[in-house]
Amino acid sequence: MRRSILRAAALAAVMATGLPAEAQPQPGPRREAIRIGILSDLSGSFADVAGPGSIVAAQLAAEDFGGRAADLPVQIVSGDHQNRADTGSAIARRWFDTEGVDAIIDLPNSAVALAVGEVARNANRVALPTAAVSSRLSGDLCSPNLVHYSLDTWSMSNVPSRALVQQGGATWFYVTADYAFGHDLEKQSADAVTRAGGRIVGSVRHPLGTTDFSAVLLQAQASRAAVVALANSQADFINSMKQASEFGLVRRGQRVVGLAVYISDIVSLGLEATQGAVVVGNWYWDLNDGTRSFGRRFAERMGGRMPTDLQANVYAAVTHYLKAVAALGSSTDGRAVVARMKATPTEDMIFGRGEIRPDGRRISPVYVFQVKAPADSANRYDVYSLLREVPLAEAYRPIAQGGCPLVQGGGG
């Protein structure tokens, strides 16, 4: 109920800015504005980590850019894909074909992002996944119309998996969300574990939105694996993590590790339950003056909630997209806009400088954080201590290993 109340408050805060959460642009002249669509999960399992907060982040970026690009006003519209690839694809086609949307951003749920990426490619518009994490987005399914902003499953799995094997976690069991994101996260982690000398002893998959993990966790417990890896996220991660604690997996000597953990998860579970956990991310609101300034502005519109790294990605994506459109003087050719984005170093107030590789992979710093003990936290969102910045060569999959046809000479 608390999460539902927070979501309702967040949606009310978005509407208070003057833009309806479910904005429906009317068909009209295609170039009356630069229209950016935030296609998200506004009420389901990803609403806390993306959702209404992603709309706010896009609004802040458009405002900071001056509200115009290529001599046209910038409009932010939004839609709810309801974690269904067919629903997301239908909205994307309608936006591109009849409602003058130039770019679609956010896209939590990798199955939805992969489907919308193909729609953008066929329509020659732009897709900027800032919340989907499948490594295929810059791998075999890369596109000249797409830039992948969020950390992917390669980074999220390789960095902690190698470290845990080196710390003695020789055997692994996976609890995996049964869709593209979970499958990819498990595979990338398992490959990293094997390369590091570890061994996979089993895995089990569960549907998105599972509430009862008892049967799944009994299998994990019976495996006697040193590490039980949760290859899921958001509500699924929170529920499985809580129930793993209730089942006493840690008390019996197993280490339970989340491979896709966000600040909203830590806040929901509480520091008492998560202190000492190691988390990999590409952004945190308390890193520097720029991140703190953005965090405060965001929180003012979100009822005091600090942004997640996925919501910060939206700000960066909108900013860099608008720079490319302004430089070209047009948003009509999606491939040309993405090519300009790749040719121009990324730079903004909250991520600093970075780049976009030919495969569409956005490169920015990656950090390893440790969750604070309750006594060390100054407020509800003061949850991380920085352990180290990961060298970029370790943080991202080598471009030659991704299988992207844009890199291998396949063209568009």
Side-chain angles (χ1 to χ4, degrees):
M1 182 178 293
R2 177 178 176 83
R3 288 164 68 87
S4 298
I5 292 171
L6 287 171
R7 289 171 184 159
L11 280 167
V14 171
M15 295 178 69
T17 68
L19 177 72
E22 290 289 347
Q24 297 294 333
Q26 297 301 313
R30 299 285 292 216
R31 293 297 152 247
E32 65 185 22
I34 305 298
R35 287 196 171 113
I36 297 173
I38 304 301
L39 185 53
S40 193
D41 172 6
L42 297 177
S43 58
S45 58
F46 298 108
D48 289 340
V49 76
S54 292
I55 302 172
V56 167
Q59 291 170 338
L60 289 170
E63 291 167 14
D64 288 350
F65 200 80
R68 299 182 68 84
D71 294 324
L72 292 172
V74 176
Q75 296 179 358
I76 307 297
V77 301
S78 65
D80 190 345
H81 60 52
Q82 301 173 29
N83 288 305
R84 293 175 56 94
D86 56 349
T87 299
S89 297
I91 293 172
R93 281 191 290 268
R94 187 183 78 238
W95 278 0
F96 289 151
D97 293 345
T98 67
E99 298 183 4
V101 170
D102 300 284
I104 294 179
I105 300 178
D106 203 28
L107 300 169
N109 188 311
S110 292
V112 176
L114 290 165
V116 171
E118 187 62 21
V119 175
R121 181 185 185 123
N122 293 334
N124 193 23
R125 300 298 176 85
V126 175
L128 306 176
T130 55
V133 298
S134 173
S135 61
R136 300 188 71 189
L137 290 162
S138 61
D140 62 313
L141 296 181
C142 68
S143 163
N145 295 79
L146 183 147
V147 177
H148 192 189
Y149 268 79
S150 51
L151 284 185
D152 60 25
T153 49
W154 193 98
S155 299
M156 298 169 78
S157 58
N158 272 260
V159 173
S161 298
R162 286 197 306 262
L164 287 170
V165 173
Q166 291 167 2
Q167 294 171 11
T171 53
W172 286 59
F173 184 96
Y174 290 89
V175 174
T176 302
D178 193 12
Y179 66 106
F181 153 75
H183 303 168
D184 200 11
L185 191 62
E186 178 186 332
K187 180 183 184 304
Q188 298 290 349
S189 173
D191 288 347
V193 167
T194 302
R195 286 194 300 270
R199 182 167 57 92
I200 312 305
V201 299
S203 68
V204 62
R205 292 179 175 178
H206 66 82
L208 180 68
T210 295
T211 56
D212 183 0
F213 283 87
S214 55
V216 170
L217 292 171
L218 283 172
Q219 292 183 58
Q221 189 178 71
S223 74
R224 299 184 181 275
V227 177
V228 176
L230 305 179
N232 52 21
S233 69
Q234 295 304 284
D236 289 330
F237 166 74
I238 291 170
N239 287 332
S240 56
M241 189 74 178
K242 283 181 177 177
Q243 291 173 42
S245 176
E246 293 166 0
F247 269 75
L249 267 64
V250 175
R251 291 197 305 272
R252 292 178 171 86
Q254 293 178 296
R255 186 167 186 177
V256 182
V257 176
L259 296 177
V261 183
Y262 301 100
I263 186 174
S264 53
D265 304 324
I266 302 301
V267 171
S268 178
L269 287 165
L271 296 184
E272 192 68 44
T274 57
Q275 60 181 308
V278 174
V279 176
V280 175
N282 69 341
W283 192 84
Y284 175 50
W285 71 269
D286 200 19
L287 279 173
N288 54 53
D289 289 343
T291 60
R292 284 187 284 272
S293 174
F294 174 73
R296 286 191 294 269
R297 293 171 60 209
F298 180 95
E300 287 173 359
R301 300 192 186 185
M302 289 293 292
R305 298 183 60 169
M306 285 296 177
T308 66
D309 48 353
L310 301 185
Q311 291 157 346
N313 287 334
V314 172
Y315 181 94
V318 171
T319 299
H320 198 57
Y321 171 78
L322 292 176
K323 286 180 181 178
V325 169
L328 292 173
S330 172
S331 61
T332 59
D333 186 342
R335 287 178 178 80
V337 173
V338 169
R340 184 74 185 208
M341 293 176 71
K342 292 179 179 179
T344 308
T346 61
E347 185 168 15
D348 56 71
M349 63 175 286
I350 63 174
F351 282 95
R353 287 181 65 85
E355 64 175 300
I356 298 171
R357 298 192 315 198
D359 60 356
R361 171 71 266 167
R362 189 275 299 262
I363 302 296
S364 66
V366 174
Y367 306 97
V368 178
F369 302 105
Q370 186 167 39
V371 178
K372 292 183 174 182
D376 298 326
S377 174
N379 58 67
R380 189 173 182 226
Y381 290 93
D382 177 24
V383 298
Y384 292 154
S385 296
L386 178 63
L387 292 182
R388 72 180 182 113
E389 182 175 336
V390 183
L392 294 180
E394 297 178 19
Y396 294 95
R397 178 177 59 194
I399 191 169
Q401 296 179 13
C404 171
L406 301 177
V407 175
Q408 297 176 349

